């Protein structure tokens, strides 16, 4: 329950709506409580009229009275309805506003958290928090709060009126109501538990379909369709079982309520009847009490329902708080340096991935001189991409330090750092957007000059491909648009990095999917762009790096050799072996 206190700041933010909503609840109930009084009045008058001997005389009077009471009754109903409308317009709307705020707060948090958070949490789980959990919390903020205020107000009003009329009858009538609250609570808890099972089953079902559709090519190529049709049938069967079980429990809900109202009504008629025969109360009071019992039914039933809503909301809010209270460890220092220039130095850097515990870099020291191009190569898994991750501060080093211009990288502004670096990641990711927007992605301007986009595309050697598409640079990429080839994607990703004309560039294995001729073309374009800028070129093929000022060879997280191509060949160690091997393979190809 404590977890829900987190939301108090929002309740305070919207306090006027909440307060106004409460006033509307009181107003609507005032009209509601008065209605049964009218009915009693009418009943008693008619009963009195039925007893009089001279009925002809009273005919006109009683008709007028009936019309008068009916008129007031309609008016009261109307007023009650108007205020009910306003109640929902204030309190339910307040809950929607808070839902909006909360979703934005969560999304902002998602954006600020570092990569290790995304490694630890599944995408489905992260998505669920912003959708499912927030909507459960909203049920607390809206309906739960509204029904609770309503119950208290109505209860106080109705009970006051009932007690004033007859204390004993009131007590008898009220006995079944708490039992109803309890039973409804029990049934709602079971319903909630079962809906959760249905939810889970549904999300398993959708993940299943989603994955199998994403992997449809592999699935068809391996002729596994039949197998997954069977598996899907099993999943839908589980879903069906969960739903049927929920439907069964749901079916109990109304009967429980009806049974207990029935009980209250019978008690009212029996005890009230005895008293009416005694002459302690009028028969109109019996009718009035029955109406009150009916009025109290839903609020009392809602106690049980609201309790389980609040429990669910509390569980959801606990999950939300878990990461709303998380702080990203990768942040700008206080008074950060915003000007980024100078040599980059790795000083005895070690890095262990928090998720896997793998030591990806092991006491590595080297310098990337300003304005030079450094090539990094080595076997797969030797830690090349890790260096790129550390340079962009997607992770922070575990041991040692990275210096830029002799100052620790953590002292710089994170935003300035990421603006200064143009990074082409190894795994290309393009957004479902136009080609042009994908290229200009990193520019903060809303409108980008076409020429800039065109030039970047030309430098990345993808311009000709793009203009060959029917819609050119406006072509949509992704699910609903064209699917690009692996090499085209890589080149778009390069264009996205170079359009920023950053001072530092990192190309992580970004030419692996292009043929050697295209590679040469891109490299010669890049060498013009990289002229005077600092660049890190990561690659498996030595041909990619051969022109670099310094080449570093890594093995198993350690730097084993560095120097220019000529120097390393002269050394006659690992690098020259690797080079010869690749030459031979190249000849054989
Ligand atoms: N996000 C991650 N979480 C946990 N471990 C990781 C992560 N990324 C990489 N690793 C591990 O760290 C080691 C170094 O990985 P890295 O990606 O730096 O290799 P690489 O040299 O870029 O390899 P490749 O040439 O295949 O791209 C590997 O053993 C890998 O399993
Ligand atoms: Mg890599």
């Amino acid at each position: 329950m404590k977890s829900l206190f987190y939301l108090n700041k929002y309740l305070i933010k919207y306090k006027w709506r909440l307060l106004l909503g409460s006033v509307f609840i009181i107003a609507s109930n005032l009209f509601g409580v008065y209605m049964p009084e009218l009915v009693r009045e009418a009943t008693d008058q008619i009963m009195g009229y039925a007893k009089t001997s001279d009925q002809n005389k009273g005919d006109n009077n009683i008709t007028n009275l009936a019309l008068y009471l009916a008129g007031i009754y309609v008016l009261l109903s109307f007023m009650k309805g108007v205020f009910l409308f306003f109640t929902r317009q204030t309190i339910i709307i307040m809950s929607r506003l808070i839902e909006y705020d909360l979703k934005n707060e969560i999304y902002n948090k998602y954006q600020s958290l570092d990569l290790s958070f995304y490694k630890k949490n599944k995408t489905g789980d992260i998505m669920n928090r912003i959708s499912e959990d927030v909507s459960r919390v909203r049920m607390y903020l809206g309906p739960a709060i509204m029904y609770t205020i309503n119950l208290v107000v109505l209860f106080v009003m109705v009970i006051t009126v009932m007690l004033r009329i007859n204390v004993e009858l009131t007590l008898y009538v009220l006995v079944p109501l708490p039992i109803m609250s309890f039973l409804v609570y029990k049934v709602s808890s079971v319903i909630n538990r079962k809906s959760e099972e249905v939810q889970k089953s549904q999300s398993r079902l959708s993940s299943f379909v989603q994955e199998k559709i994403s992997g449809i090519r592999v699935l068809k190529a391996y002729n596994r369709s039949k197998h997954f049709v069977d598996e899907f049938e099993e999943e839908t069967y589980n879903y069906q079982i969960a739903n049927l079980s929920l439907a069964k429990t749901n079916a109990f809900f109304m009967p429980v309520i009806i049974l207990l109202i029935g009980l209250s009504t019978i008690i009212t008629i029996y005890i009230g009847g005895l008293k009416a025969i005694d002459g302690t109360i009028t028969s109109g009071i019996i009718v009035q009490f029955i109406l009150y019992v009916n009025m109290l039914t839903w609020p009392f039933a809602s106690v049980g329902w609201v309790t389980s809503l609040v429990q669910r909301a509390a569980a959801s809010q606990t999950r939300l708080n878990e990461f709303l209270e998380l702080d990203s460890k990768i942040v700008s220092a206080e008074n950060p340096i915003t000007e980024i220039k100078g040599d980059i130095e790795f000083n005895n850097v070690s890095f262990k991935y928090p998720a896997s515990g793998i030591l990806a870099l092991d006491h590595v020291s080297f310098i990337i001189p300003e304005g030079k191009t450094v090539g990094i190569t080595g076997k797969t898994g030797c830690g090349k991409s890790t260096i790129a991750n550390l340079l962009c501060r997607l992770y922070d080093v575990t041991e040692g330090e990275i210096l830029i211009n002799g100052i620790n990288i953590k002292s710089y502004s994170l935003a300035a750092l990421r603006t200064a670096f143009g990074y082409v990641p190894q795994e290309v990711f393009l957004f479902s957007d136009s080609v042009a927007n994908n290229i200009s992605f990193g520019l903060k301007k809303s409108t980008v000059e076409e020429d800039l986009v065109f030039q970047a595309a030309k430098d990345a050697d993808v311009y000709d491909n793009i203009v060959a598409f029917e819609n050119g640079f406006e072509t949509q990429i992704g699910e609903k648009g064209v699917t690009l080839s692996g090499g085209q994607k890589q080149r778009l990703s390069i264009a996205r990095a170079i359009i920023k004309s950053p001072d530092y560039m990192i190309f992580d294995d970004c030419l692996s999917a292009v043929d050697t001729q295209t590679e040469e073309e891109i490299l010669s374009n890049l060498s013009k762009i990289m002229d005077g800028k600092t660049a890190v070129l990561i690659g498996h093929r030595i041909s990619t790096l051969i022109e670099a000022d310094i080449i570093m060879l890594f093995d198993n997280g350690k730097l084993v050799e560095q120097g220019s191509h000529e120097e390393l060949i002269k050394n006659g160690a690992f690098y020259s072996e690797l080079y010869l091997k690749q030459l031979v393979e190249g000849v054989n190809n």
Side-chain angles (χ1 to χ4, degrees):
M1 282 293 286
K2 266 199 201 128
S3 59
L4 291 173
F5 291 167
Y6 184 84
L7 299 165
N8 289 352
K9 63 174 184 188
Y10 288 121
L11 290 176
I12 290 169
K13 181 175 170 193
Y14 295 108
K15 57 179 177 297
W16 294 117
R17 278 177 196 270
L18 188 59
L19 219 67
L20 204 61
S22 310
V23 172
F24 290 146
I25 291 180
I26 294 175
S28 125
N29 280 321
L30 270 178
F31 290 107
V33 169
Y34 195 63
M35 285 158 62
E37 292 239 23
L38 274 184
V39 179
R40 185 201 62 189
E41 177 82 24
T43 316
D44 284 346
Q45 292 283 352
I46 290 168
M47 295 293 281
Y49 166 75
K51 278 185 200 146
T52 53
S53 48
D54 190 1
Q55 296 202 346
N56 291 337
K57 220 174 85 189
D59 259 1
N60 250 340
N61 284 348
I62 203 76
T63 318
N64 286 344
L65 182 73
L67 279 175
Y68 169 71
L69 290 177
I72 296 187
Y73 194 89
V74 170
L75 196 70
L76 289 178
S77 312
F78 178 74
M79 290 310 287
K80 182 184 167 179
V82 167
F83 281 109
L84 206 62
F85 172 79
F86 285 133
T87 305
R88 296 192 73 91
Q89 282 292 303
T90 43
I91 296 190
I92 300 294
I93 285 193
M94 172 194 80
S95 74
R96 290 289 180 196
L97 291 174
I98 298 181
E99 182 186 27
Y100 167 82
D101 288 348
L102 193 60
K103 279 197 177 179
N104 284 319
E105 183 182 347
I106 294 171
Y107 189 72
N108 270 329
K109 193 76 198 184
Y110 281 165
Q111 293 299 311
S112 77
L113 288 172
D114 46 66
L115 277 187
S116 46
F117 169 78
Y118 291 93
K119 276 277 157 209
K120 265 185 239 142
N121 294 282
K122 285 194 201 137
T123 315
D125 194 35
I126 294 174
M127 306 258 289
N128 254 343
R129 289 187 198 188
I130 204 163
S131 54
E132 281 298 311
D133 283 334
V134 173
S135 64
R136 283 186 195 167
V137 167
R138 190 200 71 85
M139 289 301 278
Y140 153 71
L141 292 165
I145 288 185
M146 187 173 76
Y147 285 122
T148 308
I149 301 176
N150 187 49
L151 173 71
V152 173
V153 170
L154 187 70
F155 187 75
V156 170
M157 286 184 183
V158 170
I159 297 300
T160 318
V161 175
M162 284 169 90
L163 284 176
R164 271 200 0 232
I165 296 172
N166 193 299
V167 179
E168 197 192 335
L169 188 57
T170 308
L171 294 180
Y172 275 117
V173 170
L174 291 184
V175 171
L177 294 181
I179 305 174
M180 179 167 75
S181 297
F182 177 73
L183 285 181
V184 168
Y185 166 65
K186 281 283 163 203
V187 176
S188 310
S189 306
V190 178
I191 289 178
N192 282 343
R193 207 188 60 230
K194 293 195 171 168
S195 339
E196 220 132 281
E197 274 160 30
V198 171
Q199 280 281 345
K200 268 189 210 146
S201 174
Q202 186 172 6
S203 75
R204 265 204 308 275
L205 210 60
S206 40
S207 320
F208 181 92
V209 175
Q210 194 223 340
E211 201 198 49
K212 300 303 175 287
I213 288 180
S214 320
I216 192 77
R217 283 199 218 187
V218 182
L219 211 137
K220 281 193 182 297
Y222 281 75
N223 197 21
R224 297 286 285 166
S225 305
K226 169 83 178 70
H227 171 81
F228 287 114
V229 167
D230 293 345
E231 210 167 283
F232 183 75
E233 212 170 295
E234 202 181 309
E235 285 290 342
T236 35
Y237 181 69
N238 290 339
Y239 179 66
Q240 181 201 19
I241 297 281
N243 256 322
L244 289 182
S245 162
L246 174 66
K248 213 179 275 169
T249 317
N250 260 332
F252 270 111
F253 195 81
M254 277 322 279
V256 165
I257 295 180
I258 290 170
L259 180 77
L260 286 153
I261 309 172
L263 209 60
S264 259
T265 313
I266 287 176
I267 294 176
T268 318
I269 293 173
Y270 180 69
I271 308 274
L274 288 181
K275 286 187 179 301
I277 293 167
D278 274 359
T280 15
I281 61 168
T282 63
S283 30
I285 290 178
I286 302 179
V287 180
Q288 188 181 1
F289 268 52
I290 291 176
L291 289 175
Y292 281 145
V293 167
N294 278 293
M295 271 172 76
L296 285 177
T297 310
W298 173 239
F300 264 90
S302 72
V303 173
W305 182 61
V306 163
T307 315
S308 70
L309 276 190
V310 172
Q311 281 177 350
R312 254 155 57 114
S316 287
Q317 190 62 41
T318 309
R319 272 198 291 274
L320 291 176
N321 287 348
E322 258 170 36
F323 81 94
L324 280 174
E325 283 156 13
L326 278 183
D327 272 321
S328 175
K329 287 183 196 76
I330 301 183
V331 287
S332 294
E334 272 177 49
N335 306 320
I337 310 169
T338 49
E339 201 193 350
I340 295 175
K341 60 179 185 55
D343 299 347
I344 298 174
E345 184 182 354
F346 271 56
N347 187 7
N348 222 2
V349 169
S350 294
F351 182 72
K352 194 182 261 183
Y353 278 100
S356 63
I358 290 174
L359 187 66
L361 288 178
D362 188 4
H363 296 95
V364 181
S365 299
F366 58 84
I367 291 175
I368 303 171
E370 188 179 17
K372 298 273 186 254
T373 299
V374 171
I376 296 180
T377 187
K379 281 198 206 100
T380 154
C382 69
K384 303 184 293 295
S385 298
T386 307
I387 293 174
N389 287 338
L390 293 179
L391 279 174
C392 298
R393 268 195 91 193
L394 295 175
Y395 293 97
D396 271 337
V397 298
T398 319
E399 226 181 284
E401 53 184 359
I402 300 175
L403 309 164
I404 299 180
N405 206 14
I407 302 167
N408 196 313
I409 196 169
K410 290 181 190 170
S411 309
Y412 290 91
S413 146
L414 199 58
L417 184 81
R418 292 189 179 154
T419 311
F421 276 79
Y423 170 44
V424 185
Q426 185 168 20
E427 276 165 26
V428 179
F429 183 84
L430 298 173
F431 294 91
S432 307
D433 201 341
S434 66
V435 170
N437 285 345
N438 265 289
I439 294 179
S440 63
F441 179 77
L443 300 177
K444 289 187 189 82
K445 289 183 281 187
S446 52
T447 51
V448 178
E449 296 98 68
E450 263 188 349
D451 292 347
L452 223 57
V453 177
F454 291 172
Q455 190 54 47
K458 281 178 190 155
D459 291 337
D461 204 27
V462 68
Y463 183 83
D464 293 340
N465 293 102
I466 298 172
V467 289
F469 295 141
E470 200 179 319
N471 295 322
F473 277 82
E474 289 313 310
T475 308
Q476 292 291 315
I477 301 178
E479 272 187 17
K480 292 211 183 88
V482 298
T483 308
L484 302 177
S485 77
Q488 286 166 344
K489 281 189 207 160
Q490 278 193 338
R491 282 174 285 153
L492 271 191
S493 178
I494 294 175
R496 174 166 65 193
I498 57 187
I499 197 173
K500 302 200 302 178
S501 70
D503 292 331
Y504 295 84
M505 284 183 256
I506 305 168
F507 301 96
D508 190 355
D509 212 11
C510 63
L511 297 172
S512 62
V514 298
D515 56 280
T516 24
Q517 195 194 331
T518 314
E519 179 183 20
E520 265 168 35
E521 261 162 55
I522 298 177
L523 281 174
S524 92
N525 291 345
L526 285 185
S527 69
K528 272 179 250 147
I529 297 166
M530 293 188 307
D531 190 34
K533 302 204 167 158
T534 318
V536 177
L537 216 65
I538 299 173
H540 281 117
R541 283 190 297 224
I542 287 178
S543 59
T544 322
L545 325 161
I546 206 156
E547 302 282 342
D549 300 296
I550 305 170
I551 296 173
M552 302 182 193
L553 180 70
F554 279 81
D555 187 37
N556 210 1
K558 287 197 168 76
L559 175 60
V560 286
E561 246 184 312
Q562 66 170 316
S564 69
H565 177 69
E566 289 72 27
E567 285 165 2
L568 291 175
I569 290 294
K570 220 182 279 163
N571 265 0
F574 302 106
Y575 180 87
S576 62
E577 262 174 45
L578 190 67
Y579 180 61
L580 281 180
K581 221 162 112 194
Q582 289 190 2
L583 267 189
V584 174
E585 279 165 8
V587 170
N588 288 345
N589 281 343

